[in-house]
Amino acid sequence: MTTRDPCSLSNYNAWYTKHTSVDFTIDFDAKQLRGSVVLQIESQTDKKSEEVILDSKFVSISRIQVNNNEAKWDVKAHTEPFGAPLHIAIPGGISKGELIHIKIDVQTTDKCSALQWLSPAQTSNGKHPYMFSQAQPINARSIFPCQDSPDVKCPFSFRLASKFPVVASGLFVGDRENHHQTASLGTETVYEFEQRVPIPAYLFAVASGDIATARIGPRSVVATGPNELVACKWELENDVEKFLEAAEKLVFPYRWGEYNVLIMPPSFPYGGMENPIYTFATPAVISGDRQNVDLFAHEISHGWSGNLVTNCSWEHFWLNEGWTIYLQRRIVGAVNGEAEFHFSALLGWKRLEDDVEQFGKDHEYTKLIINHDNVNPDDVYSTVAYEKGFHLLYYLDQLVGRDNFDKFIPHYFNKWAGKSLDSFEFRDTFMDFFNDMGDADVKTKIAAIDWNDKFYTPGLPPKPKLDTTLANQCFELANKWKDPSFEPSAKDVEEFTANQKLTFLETVQQFETPLSPERARLLGKVYNVATSTSVEVKTSYQLIALKSNDTACLGDVVEWLGHVGRIKYVRPLLRALNKVDRQLALDAFERHKDFYHPVCRGMAEKDLGIAA
């Protein structure tokens, strides 16, 4: 039987995981997780299958038992990018609906693509080591054998032993308020977590290190290094609960119990990872001005889109991220005013234009549904799923009317809660809902939708009319910089938000004729963006300086690449540096590569043309 996820080698159509339990020791000396995983798996077929096939990639397996009996098993040949399927014999099979328990003794290896181990020197206070996981999209299989597909969702139990406090993508079993303070640093302690809402393997998450917590809302804490705790608490305590409440009004009550945030070390490769219970977030959001907290409107939205309702394969990734961007912008609009919805959409459009240009407007990877046969989802990753997905939903919103679309939102998430779906099931859900509504005008409008065009046409979608009130000031200032005689003043940007500064800088980046090196340095100095506390703003300025071929900035860029590990910053900076001075770009990557997460490192190697 074939599955509908081309990125999984498992036979989950024949056997489906109903529960996963992990029991791991986090060994900082050996830099490995070791222990066991127990998979409770249900037979799905009338014709009895005599073999369970699981995804695995560079894991070390020592023993497998099926229902407490020794099992015959074989790890087949490794192929990129999906790994080595693990075949486990089930002699005689079992009847459809019956369960087996498979216990696998396993440990991770130094080729694990999901884990990053940080030395004390790589952490904020330099005292203790740190480790964290990043399993999305197909890296869970490098931690333990599993059905590593978003089409498979099940509850999880975690039992994790570590010398340092632990967080995981489940609810802590015990004293939730004080569990990070219960253990002495350096003394091995067992931490237990339960995730009762079914999740796919890519949402398995664990982190351990010198972690302290502080409350930032009635159902939320922030966890981070002790030195950063006060600043992180201040940055987040105003907005997290507001965003949760706005999301609940838009969809329905939050179903995960807690929404917590773990502020990661700088090498974390993403802005945020929507691990249930604990969002893992870049430290770049802690800018001291509460200007970057919109990230959490996005991660909170994943509590419905992606985590509760999930794309069945990475070919339909837009169902996770397009919906999440749409919900994020609705939340921010509800909290900060509708103009913010449009301003965020304009920022997103600019990033979509950049990625379409990077791939090429006719490239397969600029389609909404992308063929993933023998394709690593990391190679496809861009803003296309996020922004092109958003624009499909915004088009539907405008087509049927906001009031009508707001009735569809909770219907969709209720219908698919706890399940996974593809784009065609989304289409059918949308069409059925509005045909059943009985509004003749709406029926006529939706009948004219060319779904094949929406799903498979590469390049940019039609650009909608958006309110440019907040963006116009940014565009007007940028246009002034086209005149070499323009004399800037700090007053030009003193009323700008961080996002407005970013829009201004990104507009300058797009000038057909770059600024001269002298003008670029003047911009950085007068507007205080060269030394901004906002990672977004500082990085955007550096891209202007590199495009201007300002050799005076090169040392700063190389140093900065050793302080930011987020893919969003590392890739464009290395690509831009490569155009100015290839050898310096190669040297910078070589210098900092161990600082980067394996996912980020692999992408950068491909950008620089040095991938194995």
Side-chain angles (χ1 to χ4, degrees), residues 247-255 304 308 409-411 413-414 417:
E248 290 178 320
K249 289 178 182 176
L250 190 59
V251 195
F252 49 64
Y254 184 72
R255 295 186 179 179
W304 292 266
L308 191 64
I409 293 171
H411 168 79
F413 286 105
N414 261 318

Side-chain angles (χ1 to χ4, degrees), residues 542-562:
Q542 289 187 337
L543 290 170
I544 291 173
L546 287 168
K547 189 172 182 180
S548 300
N549 203 22
D550 178 12
T551 55
C553 79
L554 298 182
D556 288 340
V557 171
V558 171
E559 287 300 315
W560 190 236
L561 281 164

Side-chain angles (χ1 to χ4, degrees), residues 113-146:
S113 57
L115 303 178
Q116 186 166 15
W117 301 85
L118 304 180
S119 68
Q122 291 174 293
T123 64
S124 59
N125 63 16
K127 294 181 179 179
H128 304 287
Y130 195 102
M131 69 77 59
F132 66 90
S133 66
Q134 171 58 38
Q136 190 185 39
I138 57 170
N139 298 309
R141 66 191 69 180
S142 71
I143 303 176
F144 56 89
C146 58

Side-chain angles (χ1 to χ4, degrees), residues 511-550:
F511 285 179
E512 288 187 17
T513 302
L515 299 180
S516 68
E518 295 76 18
R519 295 286 287 174
R521 287 196 292 272
L522 179 65
L523 185 153
K525 180 179 179 181
V526 173
Y527 294 159
N528 196 32
V529 292
T531 56
S532 174
T533 59
S534 168
V535 175
E536 293 268 5
V537 169
K538 183 172 181 176
T539 300
S540 192
Y541 166 73
Q542 289 187 337
L543 290 170
I544 291 173
L546 287 168
K547 189 172 182 180
S548 300
N549 203 22
D550 178 12

Side-chain angles (χ1 to χ4, degrees), residues 168-171 195 254 256-261 275-279:
S169 48
L171 291 170
Q195 179 52 265
Y254 184 72
W256 302 86
E258 298 176 16
Y259 176 78
N260 303 317
V261 176
N275 301 313
I277 314 302
Y278 264 101
T279 286

Side-chain angles (χ1 to χ4, degrees), residues 368-531:
L368 206 56
I369 299 177
I370 299 170
N371 187 309
H372 275 58
D373 290 341
N374 297 313
V375 171
N376 187 336
D378 281 334
D379 294 342
V380 175
Y381 183 81
S382 75
T383 60
V384 170
Y386 295 71
E387 296 296 342
K388 202 166 181 178
F390 161 79
H391 280 284
L392 172 56
L393 293 167
Y394 185 55
Y395 160 78
L396 298 175
D397 165 333
Q398 297 298 288
L399 184 71
V400 301
R402 176 63 57 86
D403 289 345
N404 287 332
F405 197 76
D406 280 356
K407 296 172 185 173
F408 172 68
I409 293 171
H411 168 79
Y412 167 75
F413 286 105
N414 261 318
K415 178 179 175 65
W416 291 101
K419 303 174 185 175
S420 304
L421 78 161
D422 61 26
S423 301
F424 316 109
E425 289 168 316
F426 164 79
R427 174 199 62 197
D428 294 346
T429 302
F430 177 86
M431 295 297 289
D432 291 345
F433 179 84
F434 286 103
N435 280 321
D436 290 345
M437 183 179 282
D439 185 314
D441 182 51
V442 169
K443 283 184 178 181
T444 300
K445 289 178 178 178
I446 66 171
I449 298 171
D450 185 343
W451 290 98
N452 195 62
D453 171 69
K454 299 296 182 187
F455 290 157
Y456 293 112
T457 299
L460 294 168
K463 187 175 182 179
K465 185 177 180 180
L466 295 166
D467 179 356
T468 60
T469 301
L470 294 176
N472 285 339
Q473 301 168 60
C474 314
F475 300 147
E476 290 167 5
L477 179 60
N479 282 332
K480 291 178 181 179
W481 277 87
K482 292 180 177 179
D483 179 357
S485 66
F486 170 65
E487 295 185 8
S489 163
K491 292 183 178 180
D492 297 341
V493 297
E494 67 180 359
E495 299 296 327
F496 277 17
T497 64
N499 274 341
Q500 284 180 302
K501 286 183 181 179
L502 195 59
T503 300
F504 159 70
L505 292 170
E506 289 182 344
T507 305
V508 174
Q509 282 178 41
Q510 297 305 303
F511 285 179
E512 288 187 17
T513 302
L515 299 180
S516 68
E518 295 76 18
R519 295 286 287 174
R521 287 196 292 272
L522 179 65
L523 185 153
K525 180 179 179 181
V526 173
Y527 294 159
N528 196 32
V529 292
T531 56

Side-chain angles (χ1 to χ4, degrees), residues 65-252:
Q65 297 170 284
V66 175
N67 294 338
N68 296 318
N69 297 314
E70 298 297 322
K72 292 184 178 180
W73 53 277
D74 183 29
V75 178
K76 302 298 184 181
H78 175 95
T79 58
E80 285 295 335
F82 303 133
L86 168 62
H87 290 241
I88 304 170
I90 313 295
I94 59 174
S95 300
K96 183 177 181 179
E98 292 186 2
L99 296 171
I100 58 172
H101 291 78
I102 300 177
K103 182 181 179 183
I104 305 170
D105 293 342
V106 64
Q107 63 186 34
T108 60
T109 70
D110 59 4
K111 292 184 179 181
C112 177
S113 57
L115 303 178
Q116 186 166 15
W117 301 85
L118 304 180
S119 68
Q122 291 174 293
T123 64
S124 59
N125 63 16
K127 294 181 179 179
H128 304 287
Y130 195 102
M131 69 77 59
F132 66 90
S133 66
Q134 171 58 38
Q136 190 185 39
I138 57 170
N139 298 309
R141 66 191 69 180
S142 71
I143 303 176
F144 56 89
C146 58
Q147 294 176 329
D148 194 5
S149 169
D151 210 13
V152 178
K153 302 170 77 171
C154 71
F156 272 72
S157 298
F158 304 77
R159 190 175 187 276
L160 302 162
S162 178
K163 294 180 180 179
F164 303 98
V166 174
V167 301
S169 48
L171 291 170
F172 182 74
V173 178
D175 181 357
R176 295 176 188 170
E177 286 296 315
N178 300 306
H179 74 274
H180 297 300
Q181 287 74 42
T182 58
S184 299
L185 291 175
T187 302
E188 187 165 278
T189 303
V190 175
Y191 299 83
E192 294 188 53
F193 304 84
E194 286 287 341
Q195 179 52 265
R196 295 183 177 89
V197 181
I199 59 171
Y202 79 82
L203 291 178
F204 171 93
V206 58
S208 183
D210 191 357
I211 297 171
T213 61
R215 185 150 291 283
I216 54 172
R219 45 187 160 172
S220 304
V221 300
V222 62
T224 189
N227 294 358
E228 295 76 43
L229 190 59
V230 172
C232 292
K233 173 179 168 61
W234 181 87
E235 196 87 23
L236 303 180
E237 62 188 356
N238 260 22
D239 295 286
V240 166
E241 185 62 23
K242 289 179 188 176
F243 290 157
L244 279 164
E245 291 174 354
E248 290 178 320
K249 289 178 182 176
L250 190 59
V251 195
F252 49 64

